[in-house]
Amino acid sequence: MAYKEKDTKKWTAQWFETNAKGEKRKRRKRGFETKREALEYERQKKLNNSRSMDMKLSEFMEVYFEDKQNELKERTMKNKRYMMEQHIIPYFGNQMMSEITAGQIIQWQNTIIEKGYSDDYLKTIQNQMTALFNHAKNIYNLADNPCDKVKRMGKTSKKKMKFWTIEEYRQFMTGIEPGSKYYVLFELLFWTGAREGEALSITPADIDFERNLLHINKTYYRMHGEDVITSPKTEESNRTISIPEFLKKEIQDYISRLYELPEDERIFPMVHEAVQHKLKQVVQKTGVKKIRVHDIRHSHAAFLINKGVQPLMIKERFGHTDIRITLNTYGHLYPDQQKVVADMLDDENIKSSGSTNNRSDVTNGDESTNVNPRQVDYSRDSSREQQITGENSWENGGIYGTEK
């Protein structure tokens, strides 16, 4: 119960908290001007301790971030808090979690939609509201989750994926001085599919030059004016990938010119904005199609797909948590496998029947358009490219030469 200090004439709030061992401890907070302020502070602390859902949404938001502090990265916490404070707290901050209804959620959605935000941004806002109520229901037994009853804001946009073909990438690279830090950085991004933050965090110790291996085990970003190195996006993002000989030599030559760079220092000491600015500058200079830095990662995936690399290998190289992420992101780039199945069944039928008929009897009759995908001829030329022959080649309008 709050009481007034005789010497300072200020009010002190006091309450009990129960720790993880079940032990009760008395807590105090001094310096309140009025009894009302002290009692309100006591009430909030008691609710936080009991995690009762008769708690204001603004108060539960603090509980949510306290619970998530060891699960979410600092940058993610900052972004989520900003979204909640901008788009949720102004509407529901003073309402009790247990009293917010599905009807009120719909009214809130309508108000937010009227602001003209993109579908992607609406979806992000909705995700923050849903995260709060899911946490309240799953962890603190909120009886009724209003978000379960309403349709989510924002449509899942199926944007046309942007990426460069190998020709477009090489055109872009003509605008950068060979061997420079940006040249080597963009080479690494295109030929490994590493995320931008992962590439910017790489140190000499992360590269095994004898075995041509790149160890990706951290990521870089800038926050509050300071460089931050932290663990990668997910556990699966900790990975080791093979790099081609030519890329190894480019990185090795570049590092050799950095004058005894310590093993634990970043080989690309630059910020994201600098990379984005350089990309934009060279795109304008060379006239190549405009894409984002992250789209270079998509370009690597498209290149691998065009070479016949299977989804599981791409999943491992890209550090995806689940094969479904790989398929959902890049599945549309794979050629239709229905004809492969049909050809396989035709082959089996011919073998089982002992027929000596030519395969052309069960195809279009045009040998050039009925190449068995299992017998595609891969060859490597001096410029490190493999040229695929058959129905999925560039010459025949294969998937890498077009955007889907």
Side-chain angles (χ1 to χ4, degrees):
M1 187 67 178
Y3 62 91
K4 195 172 188 178
E5 299 279 359
K6 293 181 179 179
D7 52 349
T8 64
K9 306 301 181 183
K10 304 273 188 181
W11 286 86
T12 296
Q14 60 179 357
W15 67 97
F16 286 94
E17 288 185 358
T18 304
N19 62 24
K21 297 180 180 179
E23 302 168 338
K24 285 192 174 182
R25 293 284 188 270
K26 181 180 281 189
R27 297 286 183 261
R28 292 187 178 89
K29 173 71 174 178
R30 296 181 171 87
F32 294 99
E33 295 292 338
T34 66
K35 182 178 181 180
R36 181 177 179 179
E37 291 175 350
L39 290 173
E40 174 62 19
Y41 190 84
E42 280 183 7
R43 187 187 72 82
Q44 290 182 17
K45 286 298 182 181
K46 289 174 182 177
L47 285 172
N48 286 350
N49 194 39
S50 66
R51 299 305 197 241
S52 167
M53 288 299 96
D54 291 327
M55 177 190 297
K56 294 178 181 178
L57 185 143
S58 58
E59 297 165 359
F60 182 73
M61 183 184 75
E62 298 303 327
V63 173
Y64 173 82
F65 284 118
E66 181 181 342
D67 291 347
K68 295 288 185 178
Q69 61 183 326
N70 294 321
E71 178 183 340
L72 301 177
K73 295 185 184 298
E74 182 183 1
R75 182 168 55 171
T76 302
M77 296 265 281
K78 178 185 176 183
N79 292 338
K80 288 176 75 69
R81 180 180 287 277
Y82 172 82
M83 296 291 289
M84 291 179 185
E85 290 178 346
Q86 290 294 312
H87 304 294
I88 298 177
I89 297 301
Y91 300 90
F92 296 109
N94 291 322
Q95 282 193 252
M96 300 297 176
M97 289 289 292
S98 58
E99 296 177 356
I100 297 173
T101 67
Q104 290 174 319
I105 296 292
I106 291 175
Q107 292 174 15
W108 166 74
Q109 288 178 331
N110 290 337
T111 301
I112 297 296
I113 291 172
E114 288 174 357
K115 295 181 180 293
Y117 297 129
S118 68
D119 279 332
D120 286 342
Y121 195 65
L122 290 174
K123 189 176 179 180
T124 302
I125 296 173
Q126 179 69 63
N127 287 345
Q128 309 318 311
M129 176 71 87
T130 302
L132 283 175
F133 278 99
N134 283 346
H135 192 68
K137 181 179 181 179
N138 296 337
I139 306 301
Y140 298 111
N141 302 315
L142 175 67
D144 190 30
N145 183 348
C147 291
D148 288 342
K149 301 178 180 180
V150 302
K151 185 178 179 180
R152 293 192 177 196
M153 287 191 299
K155 298 176 184 177
T156 301
S157 59
K158 293 184 179 180
K159 295 181 178 178
K160 196 174 185 180
M161 181 179 289
K162 289 186 176 182
F163 58 85
W164 281 332
T165 63
I166 186 65
E167 290 86 1
E168 289 173 319
Y169 171 67
R170 286 183 172 151
Q171 180 181 343
F172 169 81
M173 292 300 283
T174 61
I176 305 178
E177 181 183 355
S180 67
K181 63 180 180 181
Y182 284 111
Y183 186 94
V184 178
L185 173 61
F186 283 115
E187 280 280 87
L188 189 146
L189 289 171
F190 185 87
W191 295 108
T192 68
R195 299 178 179 94
E196 183 183 2
E198 294 171 344
L200 292 180
S201 73
I202 291 172
T203 66
D206 297 325
I207 308 166
D208 185 336
F209 290 109
E210 291 186 3
R211 297 191 295 168
N212 288 26
L213 297 176
L214 173 63
H215 304 293
I216 296 178
N217 49 40
K218 52 191 174 297
T219 190
Y220 163 86
Y221 60 90
R222 188 94 169 158
M223 178 175 280
H224 307 309
E226 296 183 356
D227 293 336
V228 178
I229 302 289
T230 185
S231 57
K233 186 176 181 180
T234 64
E235 289 185 15
E236 287 74 14
S237 294
N238 278 289
R239 61 199 188 278
T240 297
I241 61 177
S242 297
I243 58 175
E245 181 70 16
F246 73 86
L247 180 60
K248 189 253 325 238
K249 289 180 178 178
E250 288 177 347
I251 297 173
Q252 204 167 27
D253 291 344
Y254 167 70
I255 292 178
S256 69
R257 298 194 302 272
L258 297 181
Y259 305 106
E260 299 183 355
L261 181 73
E263 286 290 295
D264 59 351
E265 287 291 327
R266 294 194 299 137
I267 66 175
F268 302 116
M270 60 187 81
V271 297
H272 292 276
E273 290 77 11
V275 182
Q276 293 157 10
H277 176 74
K278 186 66 174 180
L279 175 71
K280 182 178 180 180
Q281 182 186 64
V282 179
V283 163
Q284 292 176 339
K285 178 180 178 181
T286 59
V288 74
K289 177 176 61 190
K290 183 187 299 184
I291 65 172
R292 305 169 302 164
V293 175
H294 190 72
D295 293 329
I296 300 177
R297 177 172 164 90
H298 298 328
S299 301
H300 182 62
F303 178 82
L304 296 180
I305 291 169
N306 187 60
K307 301 306 178 187
V309 177
Q310 294 304 305
L312 185 60
M313 180 61 70
I314 294 177
K315 169 193 175 295
E316 294 173 354
R317 191 169 180 86
F318 277 52
H320 287 159
T321 305
D322 193 298
I323 188 64
R324 287 173 294 183
I325 297 175
T326 310
L327 293 174
N328 288 341
T329 306
Y330 303 116
H332 67 287
L333 296 179
Y334 280 90
D336 188 354
Q337 295 297 302
Q338 292 296 330
K339 188 175 185 302
V340 177
V341 175
D343 287 348
M344 177 188 67
L345 296 176
D346 278 331
D347 287 344
E348 187 62 31
N349 181 60
I350 291 171
K351 281 194 295 183
S352 62
S353 65
S355 172
T356 59
N357 292 337
N358 191 286
R359 270 294 306 276
S360 62
D361 294 340
V362 291
T363 61
N364 298 335
D366 183 353
E367 290 291 334
S368 65
T369 60
N370 288 284
V371 176
N372 189 333
R374 289 167 292 164
Q375 297 176 343
V376 171
D377 175 34
Y378 293 85
S379 60
R380 183 182 297 274
D381 64 18
S382 59
S383 62
R384 307 186 304 267
E385 289 184 69
Q386 294 176 343
Q387 196 67 32
I388 298 178
T389 62
E391 64 183 359
N392 294 320
S393 67
W394 285 337
E395 291 85 353
N396 291 326
I399 53 98
Y400 197 70
T402 60
E403 286 187 21
K404 292 187 178 179

